[in-house]
Amino acid sequence: MTLGLSLGVVVGYLVAALALGLVAYRVSESTAEDYYLANRSIGTLVLLFTTFATLLSAFTFFGGPNLAYAAGPEWLIVMGTLDGVLFAVLWYVIGYKQWLIGARNGYVTLGEMLGDRFGSTGLRALVAGVSLLWLFPYVMLQQMGAGEALVGLTDGAVPYWGGAALITAFMILYVAVAGLRGVAWTDTLQGLFMLSVVWIAAAWLVSALGGVGAATEGMLAARPEFGGFGGGTYTPGFIISTAITIAFGVTMFPQINQRFFVAKSAATLKRSFALWPVLVLLLFLPAFMLGAWAAGTPVTVPENANVLPVVLGEYTPAWFTALVIAGAMAAMMSSSDSMLLSGSSYFTRDLYRPVVNADASERREAWVARVGVAGFAALAFVASLFRPGTLVEVGGTAFSGFALLALPVICALYWDRTTRTGMLAGVAVPQVAYLAVVLSAVVGAVPTLPRTVAGGWDVALGLMALSAVLTVGVSLLTAPTEEEDASRFAVAGD
Amino acid sequence: MTRSRSDLVWIPTFAVLVAFAVPWPLWGVDRVVAGLPVWIWWHVAWLGLCTALFALFVRSGAWERGMGRRPGRDVAGGDAPAPADGDRR
């Protein structure tokens, strides 16, 4: 009975989200700009929550509390710094400029914007290819998260692959019909929903434990080191490396980067920017403290399981645990549907049309996009069955891959002297190097490469510096070609 | 429109906001205040401060001037397609 109830809550929630997507589909037009960018018509509340819900995924909802449970609540600071503050600043530096340029020239993807500025189909395809490469593990992460979530919720009655398959099917269906307007609307619903359930969950646990003070005392009695800031996993090198690579990586995430194009007005962007840190705090504080407080409870978390459902299962009724899982599934879906949608726009506009078939009709392009989404999601599903690492590990790898794009893009946005060769070198070389590092950890044939440089800094941080040096250095050594047009990025024309 | 000299103060302000979003001065401090470790309160207050200063940054007009634009205009100006234009939804 309880099992039926739990599954009913989760599936009911998925169906409600799908219904909303169908409504959005009915008001959508059939143009690419509407499908991918909702005609650049998104207002403050929806922009804020669609960015929020898109950003927060299995990585935040399960990975975060797991890490807080195992290593201490400092994860709150790491994620708060990178998502709440550094990302907000980058939102202004990269996002606003991109919005201005995008609105002026009608760009839909990052690759399209750079390809046009530098007159290079190769650069456009390279950026799209790199983005799709790192999108893959991140889509996989959502499927892993959903699989684990349903195992935790149903005590194993629904197997891991069943949960992963459920969310895969849902994502494909959703993206195929809804487009960005549907994604943005459901994101708003999902963002508000997960914010509410996580606060109720924290209040429930805290009252069961006898108040905030008692919950913290229990945590400190079990793990005294959780009280002091820093130590253990949280070295300054870890905190800084993680915060920088993830924050820069997030801005280059296709689904987040495209959010920079969709705002209705500058006022929308500005309001969202200012409200952002508080919104981030409102979610992270209860979510990660739940994980940290759980360390002081007698609950034992089985290996490979997520702490959140286990501890809630112990202290709250089954229907409420199911609601929280639905909230977490909401976080995963709202991230993955956006990822697949953005991924398909990169695939069709930056790879398929310019490289494979320039004369494809809109109809054919739409068809290719949907088949691409289904194929991509299905491959990620198969890969997720092998569970190649923890949620935080898989996520961290993807973020770092994206972060390597950020500095060349900032160069292109702000420095007119940037050349095509500079961009190609600044993007391609660090990517190849990072890919070799990642592969060396999983493929025996590749010799093991160091994951840290210069005494404890993440290798991705070193490669980010390399990408900036290469972009600037090679640009200085080469001359702009005739196809390049720095005026495409001018925004001060009025 | 040139950026005014006072706008430059936002650059170090943002640098400080980012740098001390991590409560470095409380490294290793384990005092508990009102039920939570004191460094968590620092974080809560800091993100509140960020929102207040970001709002001030937006209102000051430095946001637009930073991009070399005139403050007070909302849509992407000049020849840019205003997203709310007539025939577009």
Side-chain angles (χ1 to χ4, degrees):
Chain A
M1 184 60 213
T2 317
L3 181 65
L5 177 74
S6 304
L7 279 177
V9 169
V10 171
V11 172
Y13 181 84
L14 294 183
V15 170
L18 190 60
L20 193 63
L22 287 172
V23 174
Y25 170 68
R26 291 183 61 91
V27 303
S28 293
E29 295 162 21
S30 63
T31 63
E33 201 159 348
D34 196 75
Y35 183 65
Y36 293 124
L37 299 182
N39 269 349
R40 302 179 207 270
S41 65
I42 301 288
T44 305
L45 179 78
V46 175
L47 179 70
L48 198 57
F49 273 97
T50 187
T51 309
F52 183 65
T54 301
L55 198 54
L56 308 170
S57 64
F59 184 79
T60 318
F61 231 98
F62 286 144
N66 289 353
L67 198 60
Y69 174 77
E74 286 95 327
W75 189 241
L76 173 65
I77 305 286
V78 180
M79 289 288 282
T81 300
L82 68 94
D83 267 349
V85 189
L86 192 50
F87 174 69
V89 173
L90 292 172
W91 187 330
Y92 167 67
V93 173
I94 300 177
Y96 186 52
K97 184 106 184 207
Q98 237 188 275
W99 179 78
L100 288 168
I101 296 170
R104 172 163 300 192
N105 300 321
Y107 300 134
V108 172
T109 68
L110 178 68
E112 185 176 4
M113 183 180 93
L114 294 171
D116 189 43
R117 153 74 176 83
F118 292 98
S120 168
T121 308
L123 179 63
R124 182 175 181 172
L126 176 67
V127 169
V130 163
S131 303
L132 290 172
L133 174 72
W134 299 117
L135 202 55
F136 190 80
Y138 213 73
V139 168
M140 211 167 91
L141 177 76
Q142 313 309 319
Q143 294 159 323
M144 288 164 62
E148 289 173 8
L150 286 186
V151 169
L153 180 69
T154 61
D155 271 333
V158 173
Y160 169 78
W161 68 263
L166 179 67
I167 201 162
T168 308
F170 185 86
M171 291 182 321
I172 294 174
L173 190 62
Y174 202 84
V175 174
V177 298
L180 187 89
R181 187 172 284 107
V183 167
W185 286 5
T186 37
D187 279 356
T188 308
L189 170 80
Q190 290 170 339
L192 287 167
F193 181 75
M194 65 179 138
L195 208 52
S196 319
V197 291
V198 82
W199 272 98
I200 298 170
W204 211 313
L205 181 74
V206 160
S207 73
L209 294 175
V212 173
T216 303
E217 262 173 44
M219 172 186 89
L220 292 177
R223 305 289 299 269
E225 73 278 15
F226 278 17
F229 175 58
T233 305
Y234 301 103
T235 61
F238 173 83
I239 294 173
I240 295 172
S241 298
T242 311
I244 292 180
T245 53
I246 299 186
F248 279 83
V250 162
T251 62
M252 293 296 121
F253 245 133
Q255 74 279 13
I256 297 293
N257 191 274
Q258 274 190 323
R259 293 290 182 278
F260 296 152
F261 288 131
V262 302
K264 185 166 68 181
S265 67
T268 299
L269 273 169
K270 289 170 187 171
R271 273 195 293 267
S272 306
F273 163 85
L275 288 170
W276 185 255
V278 164
L279 189 62
V280 162
L281 181 70
L282 280 176
L283 183 75
F284 288 180
L285 186 68
F288 300 163
M289 285 316 292
L290 273 173
W293 282 326
T297 62
V299 172
T300 46
V301 180
E303 207 182 334
N304 264 341
N306 292 304
V307 59
L308 213 55
V310 175
V311 74
L312 290 177
E314 196 64 36
Y315 288 92
T316 65
W319 64 266
F320 183 74
T321 310
L323 261 188
V324 174
I325 301 294
M329 297 278 275
M332 292 168 218
M333 283 179 332
S334 55
S335 301
S336 35
D337 55 14
S338 308
M339 284 178 219
L340 290 177
L341 184 68
S342 292
S344 84
S345 69
Y346 279 44
F347 177 64
T348 53
R349 298 180 68 92
D350 298 340
L351 287 173
Y352 178 72
R353 192 174 269 280
V355 180
V356 182
N357 183 357
D359 305 319
S361 62
E362 288 241 339
R363 205 184 162 79
R364 186 173 178 84
E365 187 178 302
W367 186 80
V368 167
R370 286 169 173 86
V371 171
V373 163
F376 193 82
L379 281 178
F381 166 65
V382 172
S384 75
L385 298 180
F386 294 98
R387 303 180 125 188
T390 67
L391 296 179
V392 169
E393 283 163 5
V394 174
T397 304
F399 282 125
S400 296
F402 280 112
L404 300 180
L405 284 175
L407 294 179
V409 169
I410 293 177
C411 252
L413 286 174
Y414 286 96
W415 190 45
D416 285 354
R417 184 67 185 76
T418 313
T419 67
R420 176 202 293 174
T421 324
M423 286 298 288
L424 288 170
V427 171
V429 175
Q431 289 292 341
V432 171
Y434 187 63
L435 200 57
V437 172
V438 172
L439 286 179
S440 81
V442 288
V443 181
V446 182
T448 304
L449 295 165
R451 289 200 71 98
T452 55
V453 287
W457 301 97
D458 192 321
V459 65
L461 210 56
L463 291 174
M464 275 177 77
L466 177 70
S467 74
V469 169
L470 280 174
T471 310
V472 174
V474 175
S475 291
L476 286 174
L477 293 175
T478 52
T481 59
E482 265 181 21
E483 300 86 37
E484 296 180 38
D485 181 5
S487 73
R488 302 295 286 166
F489 280 11
V491 291
D494 56 318
Chain B
M1 185 75 196
T2 53
R3 84 167 60 183
S4 78
R5 189 162 291 183
S6 62
D7 286 349
L8 293 178
V9 88
W10 286 108
I11 296 172
T13 305
F14 280 180
V16 169
L17 283 181
V18 172
F20 288 96
V22 178
W24 301 115
L26 296 176
W27 191 264
V29 173
D30 60 359
R31 260 189 68 205
V32 172
V33 176
L36 288 174
V38 65
W39 52 269
I40 291 182
W41 291 117
W42 167 298
H43 181 66
V44 171
W46 200 262
L47 289 191
L49 177 72
C50 285
T51 278
L53 288 177
F54 287 171
L56 201 63
F57 170 69
V58 167
R59 282 181 49 183
S60 72
W63 169 292
E64 291 293 337
R65 285 189 297 271
M67 293 291 151
R69 296 167 55 81
R70 217 176 292 124
R73 296 184 52 129
D74 197 347
V75 294
D79 52 338
D85 259 355
D87 58 327
R88 297 156 57 102
R89 246 175 344 119

